């Protein structure tokens, strides 16, 4: 492995610096920026009253003190919940301002990135299946346009990646904003995609680390087909080394500071 290769790999903070702070909270994303992450990963879902919020699960039960499906709750309902205390319920850390552990809207995350003081990318995952069908993508594109992120001159100039396990979702995004790169996420290698090809509308391969462990030639095949490879979720040092050896383009991790250190990059 070469020093240059290590330094060329982008480090993406999965749900923020989510090993240390509650996932998808402002606290987690502020920490990830402080740690020096190149980009922030988030999941988005649509509330009952049409707001995009950063929540992974279909229901809020695991990551808050409330219950119910995100799609059945309004933003005011979600704002009344605590999304922080579950993380260290025995230690009950003080996260400071309640805003840091309240539900995080995509709009607030975009504001954070705009005010970061340095370039910070975004990897936004649309969650599926959803009762809102194409409305998630429609609202997402609208938000990106508001922040001037929807129409880069070329994919290389884009600060945003849209990710999904749904090829249909990525096709919708590609049709609306052709120069915003799309990442096709996969847990297993489909036989029809083993040669490195991706579904129409997808630009970047997004395999799980499990795929690389069992199919290490996947990265070479994807690169040969003209696609970057962004791997999730990479926390173990041995898996980081594997990613470096295989030449992946981005590592998505819950531990951005530790991964940056392993790659020989001093956090900012």
């Amino acid at each position: 492995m070469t020093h240059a290769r290590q330094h060329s790999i982008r480090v993406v903070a999965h749900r923020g610096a989510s090993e240390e702070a509650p996932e998808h909270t402002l606290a987690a994303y502020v920490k990830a920026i402080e740690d020096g992450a190149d980009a922030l990963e988030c999941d988005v879902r649509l509330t009952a009253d049409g707001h995009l919020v950063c929540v992974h699960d279909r229901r809020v039960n695991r990551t808050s003190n409330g219950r119910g499906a995100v799609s059945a709750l309004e933003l005011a309902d979600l704002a009344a919940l605590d999304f922080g205390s579950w993380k260290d319920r025995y230690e009950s850390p003080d996260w400071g301002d309640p805003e840091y552990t309240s539900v995080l809207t995509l709009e607030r995350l975009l504001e954070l990135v705009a005010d970061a003081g340095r370039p910070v990318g975004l990897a936004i995952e649309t969650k599926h299946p959803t009762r809102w069908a194409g409305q998630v993508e429609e609202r997402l594109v609208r938000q990106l346009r508001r922040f001037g992120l929807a129409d880069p001159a070329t994919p290389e100039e884009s600060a945003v990646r849209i990710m999904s396990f749904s090829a249909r979702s990525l096709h919708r995004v590609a049709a609306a904003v052709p120069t915003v790169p799309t990442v096709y996420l996969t847990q297993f290698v489909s036989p029809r995609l083993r040669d490195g090809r991706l579904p129409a509308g997808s630009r970047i391969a997004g395999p799980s680390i499990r795929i690389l462990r069992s199919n290490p030639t996947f990265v070479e095949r994807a690169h040969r087909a003209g696609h970057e490879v962004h791997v999730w979720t990479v926390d173990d040092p041995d898996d980081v080394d594997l990613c470096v050896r295989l030449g992946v383009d981005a590592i998505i991790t819950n531990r951005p500071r530790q991964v940056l250190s392993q790659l020989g990059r001093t956090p900012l």
Side-chain angles (χ1 to χ4, degrees), residues 17-157:
S18 55
E19 182 176 82
E20 298 186 55
E23 67 181 63
H24 284 127
T25 62
L26 193 60
Y29 290 110
V30 168
K31 183 72 169 65
I33 291 172
E34 291 174 348
D35 286 350
D38 299 305
L40 311 176
E41 186 272 349
C42 69
D43 305 287
V44 291
R45 291 184 178 275
L46 199 61
T47 66
D49 53 343
H51 295 273
L52 286 171
V53 292
C54 302
V55 180
H56 176 271
D57 300 358
R58 187 177 71 86
R59 300 176 65 84
V60 300
N61 303 34
R62 177 178 66 88
T63 56
S64 82
N65 60 346
R67 300 182 65 81
V70 174
S71 61
L73 296 168
E74 295 190 353
L75 182 59
D77 301 321
L78 293 166
L81 302 179
D82 175 6
F83 281 81
S85 61
W86 67 274
K87 176 69 174 175
D88 296 289
R89 64 181 63 188
Y90 298 111
E91 296 180 14
S92 297
D94 179 10
W95 298 106
D97 189 331
E99 181 190 11
Y100 275 65
T101 52
S102 180
V103 67
L104 183 66
T105 63
L106 178 62
E107 180 179 24
R108 181 67 184 91
L109 181 58
L110 291 171
E111 290 172 349
L112 177 70
V113 169
D115 295 336
R118 66 175 178 86
V120 178
L122 277 169
I124 304 171
E125 180 183 343
T126 63
K127 303 302 294 183
H128 292 272
T130 171
R131 66 186 290 187
W132 300 116
Q135 292 184 51
V136 171
E137 292 80 14
E138 180 184 334
R139 306 256 177 161
L140 173 55
V141 169
R142 193 182 306 168
Q143 286 271 36
L144 295 180
R145 285 209 165 101
R146 279 190 56 214
F147 282 82
L149 298 171
D151 299 295
T154 66
E156 292 73 26
E157 294 180 30

Side-chain angles (χ1 to χ4, degrees), residues 12-15 41 43 56 125 127 163-165 183-188 204-213 218 229-235 239 243 248 250-254:
V12 183
H14 184 245
R15 309 178 196 176
E41 186 272 349
D43 305 287
H56 176 271
E125 180 183 343
K127 303 302 294 183
M163 311 193 300
S164 185
F165 288 94
V183 183
Y184 184 54
L185 299 171
T186 49
Q187 287 184 311
F188 308 99
I204 298 169
S208 67
I209 186 61
R210 180 185 300 176
I211 289 177
L212 266 61
R213 292 187 198 126
F218 178 89
V229 179
H230 296 193
V231 187
W232 59 276
T233 303
V234 185
D235 291 337
D239 287 334
C243 287
V248 309
I251 288 174
I252 303 172
T253 178
N254 298 312

Side-chain angles (χ1 to χ4, degrees), residues 165-185:
F165 288 94
S166 167
R168 180 175 297 180
S169 174
L170 296 181
H171 191 271
R172 291 188 191 113
V173 170
V177 283
T179 52
V180 172
T182 49
V183 183
Y184 184 54
L185 299 171

Side-chain angles (χ1 to χ4, degrees), residues 207-227:
S208 67
I209 186 61
R210 180 185 300 176
I211 289 177
L212 266 61
R213 292 187 198 126
S214 57
N215 298 276
T217 59
F218 178 89
V219 177
E220 181 184 357
R221 294 197 304 272
H223 281 164
R224 197 161 53 234
H227 304 302

